[in-house]
Amino acid sequence: MDNKVLAVINGKEITQGELDATISRFPRERQGYLQTEAGKKQLLEELISFELIYNYAKDNNMESDPTYVSQLEIAKKEILTQTAISKVMQQVSVEDKEVEDYYNANKENFKNPETVSAKHILVESEEKAKKVAEEINNGMDFEDAAKQYSSCPSKEQGGNLGNFGRGQMVPEFEEAAFALEIGALSAPVKTQFGYHLIKVENKSQSSVKSFEEVKNTIKSKLLQERQSFKYAQLNKELREKYNVEIKG
C-alpha cells in the first residue's frame, strides 16, 4: 500500500508512503482532516504543484541563483550543526540504577501533598453563621443550607470546594479545614470574605510517590542535566581548539 503510485510528474513518482509521511509532519490537529479523502486529495495536489515548481526551477538554472546558493549554505550549516550536536548528545546516557539511586536519595522531593476535600457556607456575619449552624445541627442538610444561605458561587454545588492543599486557601480557612475532623461542622471562621462554616468530607495524608510514578521524570531530568554539562564541556574544548575573537 505504501508503494502505491498516486501520481507521476516528469518521471518522478509520488507514492502513498510519501503522502503519509508528509501528513505525519503536520501538527496533530491538522492531521485529522488530511487523513480524510478530501484532505488527501488536497495534499496530493499540493505535492504535485511543489514538484512542478521544482522542475521549473531546475530547468531555469535557479540552482546557481545567488539567493538559492546563500540559503542553501545557511541550511547546510544548520543541519550539520544539529547533526553534530545530536551525535554528541547520543554519547550521554542514564542507567536505571542511577535513576533509582537518585529517587532513594531524594524521596522528600517526590511527595504527594496533604489535601482535604471540603464544603463551606459563606455568610456576611458571625451571627448569621451561628444561626445557619444551628439549623444544620437540628437536621438541615449542609448542602441544602449552602444553597439557601451561602453567598459563594460554590452554593450551586452544595458548597463543594473539591480537593485542595496547603497554600491554596486564605490562612484562616486553611488552618480550620486541616484541623477539622471528617464530617464535623466547624465554628464560624472569619476571613477577608466573611464568615465560613466548613465541613470536611475527606483527608489525604502526605505520601511519597512510588518510584514507577516518577521514574521517567527523574530520568529526563538527569539526562537533560548531563546533556547540558556535555554541551558546555564541548563548547569549552572547542573554544580552546579554535580561535574566538569577540569584538565590540
Side-chain angles (χ1 to χ4, degrees), residues 19-20 47 69 88 123 128 147 159 178 181 199 203 224 235 237:
L19 185 71
D20 292 339
L47 291 177
V69 173
V88 172
V123 294
K128 177 74 175 221
K147 290 176 181 178
F178 277 93
E181 293 295 326
K199 181 183 178 184
K203 288 187 175 185
Q224 186 176 24
N235 196 280
E237 291 172 359

Coordinates of all heavy atoms in Angstrom, one line a residue, residues 19-20 47 69 88 123 128 147 159 178 181 199 203 224 235 237:
L19 N 3.0 10.4 0.7 CA 1.8 11.2 1.2 C 1.6 11.0 2.7 O 1.5 12.0 3.4 CB 0.6 10.8 0.4 CG -0.7 11.6 0.7 CD1 -0.5 13.0 0.1 CD2 -1.9 10.9 0.1
D20 N 1.7 9.8 3.1 CA 1.5 9.5 4.6 C 2.6 10.2 5.4 O 2.4 10.7 6.5 CB 1.5 8.0 4.8 CG 0.3 7.3 4.2 OD1 -0.7 8.0 4.0 OD2 0.3 6.1 4.0
L47 N 1.4 18.6 -3.4 CA 2.7 17.9 -3.7 C 3.0 17.9 -5.2 O 4.1 18.1 -5.6 CB 2.6 16.4 -3.2 CG 2.6 16.2 -1.7 CD1 2.5 14.7 -1.3 CD2 3.9 16.8 -1.0
V69 N 21.8 29.8 -3.5 CA 23.2 29.4 -3.0 C 23.4 29.8 -1.6 O 23.8 29.1 -0.7 CB 24.3 29.9 -3.9 CG1 25.7 29.6 -3.3 CG2 24.2 29.3 -5.3
V88 N 26.8 14.1 19.6 CA 27.5 14.3 20.9 C 26.5 13.9 22.0 O 26.9 13.2 23.0 CB 28.0 15.7 21.1 CG1 28.4 16.0 22.5 CG2 29.1 16.0 20.1
V123 N -21.2 33.4 54.8 CA -22.2 34.4 55.1 C -21.5 35.7 55.6 O -20.3 35.7 55.8 CB -23.2 33.9 56.2 CG1 -24.1 32.8 55.6 CG2 -22.5 33.5 57.4
K128 N -25.1 35.4 61.7 CA -25.8 34.6 60.7 C -25.2 33.2 60.6 O -25.9 32.2 60.4 CB -25.6 35.4 59.3 CG -26.2 34.6 58.1 CD -27.7 34.7 58.2 CE -28.3 34.1 56.9 NZ -29.4 34.8 56.3
K147 N -27.0 26.0 49.6 CA -27.8 26.5 48.5 C -28.7 27.7 49.0 O -28.9 28.6 48.2 CB -28.6 25.4 47.9 CG -27.8 24.4 47.2 CD -28.6 23.2 46.6 CE -27.8 22.2 45.9 NZ -28.6 21.1 45.4
G159 N -21.9 23.9 48.2 CA -20.8 24.4 48.9 C -19.5 23.7 48.7 O -18.5 24.0 49.3
F178 N -7.9 22.1 57.8 CA -6.9 21.0 58.0 C -7.0 20.4 59.4 O -6.6 19.3 59.7 CB -5.5 21.4 57.7 CG -5.2 21.3 56.2 CD1 -5.4 22.4 55.4 CD2 -4.7 20.1 55.7 CE1 -5.1 22.3 54.0 CE2 -4.4 20.0 54.3 CZ -4.6 21.1 53.5
E181 N -12.1 17.6 62.0 CA -12.3 16.1 61.8 C -13.3 15.9 60.7 O -14.2 16.8 60.4 CB -12.9 15.5 63.1 CG -12.0 15.5 64.3 CD -10.8 14.6 64.1 OE1 -10.9 13.6 63.4 OE2 -9.7 15.0 64.6
K199 N -17.2 22.0 56.4 CA -17.4 20.6 56.7 C -16.4 19.9 55.8 O -16.4 20.0 54.6 CB -18.8 20.2 56.3 CG -19.1 18.7 56.6 CD -20.5 18.4 56.2 CE -20.8 16.9 56.4 NZ -22.2 16.5 55.9
K203 N -9.8 13.5 53.9 CA -8.5 13.9 54.1 C -7.5 12.9 53.4 O -7.7 11.7 53.5 CB -8.1 14.1 55.5 CG -8.8 15.3 56.2 CD -8.3 15.5 57.6 CE -8.9 16.7 58.3 NZ -8.3 16.9 59.6
Q224 N 18.9 15.5 30.9 CA 19.0 16.9 30.5 C 20.1 17.6 31.2 O 20.9 18.3 30.5 CB 17.7 17.6 30.8 CG 17.6 19.0 30.3 CD 16.3 19.7 30.6 OE1 15.5 19.3 31.5 NE2 16.0 20.7 29.8
N235 N 31.7 22.9 24.3 CA 31.9 24.3 23.9 C 33.3 24.8 24.4 O 34.0 25.5 23.7 CB 30.7 25.1 24.5 CG 30.6 26.5 23.8 OD1 31.4 27.4 24.2 ND2 29.7 26.6 22.9
E237 N 36.0 23.0 25.1 CA 37.1 22.4 24.4 C 37.2 23.1 23.0 O 38.4 23.3 22.5 CB 36.8 20.9 24.2 CG 36.8 20.1 25.5 CD 36.3 18.7 25.3 OE1 35.9 18.3 24.2 OE2 36.4 17.9 26.3

